[in-house]
Amino acid sequence: MGFRYKKINERKIMCEKNYVIRAKITFLRKYLQFQNSSENINFIFLDETWVYKNGSQVRKWVNENDKRMNDIKITSEGERFTILHAGYKGGFLPNCGLLFSSKNNDRDYHKTMNGEIFLDWVKTKLVPDLDKINGKCVVVMDNAPYHSVLLEKPISKFSNKTSISAFLQKHGIYFSNELSKKELWNLAEPYVQNSSNKKYVVDEFLNSKGYEVLRLPPYHCQYNPIEMVWGYCKTFYNKNIPNSKFTGSEKVLNVWQESLSKITSDMWANYIKHTEQLIIDDWKKYMGNMDIVNVPPLIIGFENDSASDSDTDMPSENDEEYVE
């Protein structure tokens, strides 16, 4: 979850990993800079979630002394459906809803979404709706693998010498043909591990259309108000799906659309207000009253601290880095 143990005065305490702190400060600064700019900024929040055909009833309160309650069998959840949507202070974007049946019932919905489906959704549903919004749009999303398909195929220390040499040549990094593979990798590694050099397919496409992309820091979904929207919608869905007069996939679609209709623009505005207060509070927690416009470089000493979680694309850490 982005934490590690650190020994202080012979005592171990739990603290956030350095790469998470860096990503968090960067996100907080950029969000607040957009918020305080003179432009009319619209933050667009997107995310995926899931529902089950028969609703989720994996647990319920029972009285163990009441045999009648213990005999009650929980209905199978049934087929799982993956959902993708986006919204902003004005409510859900009207044509951005996507709901499709998952091929397996693994509870990790990330395994049914992929970069191709997501990019197609961005091109055919998200961008046409963004084009209708007045003002500048900033798309806020997390670092899920299907959001983070790289524009350029990455190399690693396991790549062959020819691939590493081609990478160095493409990025204008001088090298001698007499160098060994290990020496070539030593030249390429700093560039590869610098996250600012990574180009994502989705980000580049949205940028080409005139839209900004703001990545959430790893493990910090509380900065995305759509998480609270999902909570409300799924509670409504699970409560009402058993009583639906429809059957099959039509039942799922109708009850889910009804749950979305319950979320008003005022509710969206309140959820966004709540998350923005968290952002302001966390900025003050980390940076005090420092001006968000003129943030001086902050030097943080690092131990080797790598990000291995599948929901982030952050690099391995060097001994010392700057947070800008």
Side-chain angles (χ1 to χ4, degrees):
M1 295 180 67
F3 288 85
R4 63 184 173 86
Y5 280 111
K6 184 175 182 181
K7 194 172 183 180
I8 299 179
N9 297 329
E10 302 303 319
R11 294 182 298 111
K12 285 187 175 182
I13 65 171
M14 186 173 284
C15 60
E16 284 185 296
K17 292 182 178 179
N18 295 313
Y19 78 90
V20 177
I21 296 174
R22 283 209 310 276
K24 183 189 292 189
I25 293 174
T26 298
F27 169 82
L28 296 174
R29 174 175 56 82
K30 288 183 177 179
Y31 192 102
L32 292 172
Q33 285 178 339
F34 280 127
Q35 188 184 50
N36 289 275
S37 72
S38 58
E39 297 181 271
N40 177 23
I41 300 294
N42 295 287
F43 290 103
I44 311 298
F45 303 94
L46 65 85
D47 192 32
E48 296 80 11
T49 190
W50 78 99
V51 293
Y52 285 91
K53 180 179 177 180
N54 300 319
S56 296
Q57 279 189 318
V58 294
R59 292 182 178 86
K60 67 182 298 183
W61 289 105
V62 297
N63 183 345
E64 293 184 349
N65 296 320
D66 188 338
K67 293 182 178 181
R68 292 174 300 176
M69 293 188 69
N70 292 333
D71 289 338
I72 295 175
K73 293 183 179 180
I74 297 176
T75 305
S76 170
E77 293 176 323
E79 188 179 3
R80 183 167 56 81
F81 291 78
T82 299
I83 294 162
L84 172 58
H85 216 322
Y88 73 126
K89 61 187 178 184
F92 280 111
L93 299 185
N95 302 306
C96 277
L98 176 65
L99 183 150
F100 62 93
S101 173
S102 304
K103 300 301 182 183
N104 61 69
N105 280 336
D106 193 307
R107 296 190 72 84
D108 183 4
Y109 67 93
H110 292 287
K111 295 181 180 179
T112 60
M113 178 64 74
N114 59 51
E116 184 177 349
I117 295 173
F118 182 69
L119 181 60
D120 181 69
W121 175 83
V122 169
K123 290 180 176 180
T124 61
K125 291 180 175 290
L126 179 63
V127 168
D129 271 0
L130 296 182
D131 289 341
K132 300 173 185 177
I133 298 176
N134 293 324
K136 182 174 182 177
C137 292
V138 177
V139 179
V140 180
M141 61 178 156
D142 63 28
N143 301 283
Y146 39 82
H147 296 167
S148 307
V149 177
L150 291 169
L151 195 64
E152 178 183 14
K153 185 177 180 180
I155 62 168
S156 71
K157 63 181 179 180
F158 302 108
S159 301
N160 58 44
K161 185 175 180 179
T162 302
S163 297
I164 298 175
S165 297
F167 178 88
L168 292 171
Q169 187 173 19
K170 179 178 180 179
H171 294 284
I173 303 173
Y174 173 78
F175 65 96
S176 170
N177 291 326
E178 298 177 355
L179 295 179
S180 65
K181 174 185 169 181
K182 183 178 180 180
E183 290 171 327
L184 291 173
W185 172 246
N186 288 338
L187 290 176
E189 185 177 19
Y191 187 95
V192 171
Q193 293 193 352
N194 185 347
S195 60
S196 64
N197 293 326
K198 289 187 177 181
K199 304 293 184 183
Y200 299 114
V201 173
V202 169
D203 296 45
E204 293 299 303
F205 176 77
L206 287 171
N207 291 162
S208 71
K209 299 296 182 180
Y211 303 116
E212 298 274 357
V213 176
L214 183 55
R215 297 273 176 156
L216 291 162
Y219 319 109
H220 285 75
C221 61
Q222 75 271 21
Y223 296 146
N224 193 344
I226 202 172
E227 297 290 352
M228 289 182 282
V229 172
W230 290 153
Y232 184 98
C233 290
K234 292 171 78 169
T235 297
F236 180 93
Y237 175 89
N238 290 329
K239 182 179 179 180
N240 290 277
I241 194 70
N243 304 319
S244 174
K245 63 181 180 179
F246 298 96
T247 59
S249 299
E250 188 179 9
K251 174 175 73 170
V252 176
L253 181 60
N254 275 272
V255 178
W256 181 251
Q257 287 181 334
E258 186 180 0
S259 74
L260 295 181
S261 70
K262 300 298 181 181
I263 303 292
T264 66
S265 58
D266 286 341
M267 292 173 70
W268 262 103
N270 286 332
Y271 290 144
I272 292 172
K273 182 179 179 180
H274 173 80
T275 56
E276 288 183 341
Q277 187 59 53
L278 291 177
I279 289 171
I280 292 170
D281 291 344
D282 282 355
W283 174 262
K284 291 180 179 178
K285 173 183 174 182
Y286 282 93
M287 307 301 288
N289 294 318
M290 186 175 291
D291 185 357
I292 61 172
V293 177
N294 300 309
V295 181
L298 175 64
I299 302 176
I300 300 178
F302 293 108
E303 300 170 3
N304 285 335
D305 193 19
S306 61
S308 59
D309 190 270
S310 62
D311 197 36
T312 178
D313 236 333
M314 305 300 292
S316 298
E317 312 308 325
N318 298 320
D319 290 334
E320 193 171 56
E321 288 267 354
Y322 284 89
V323 177
E324 296 181 354

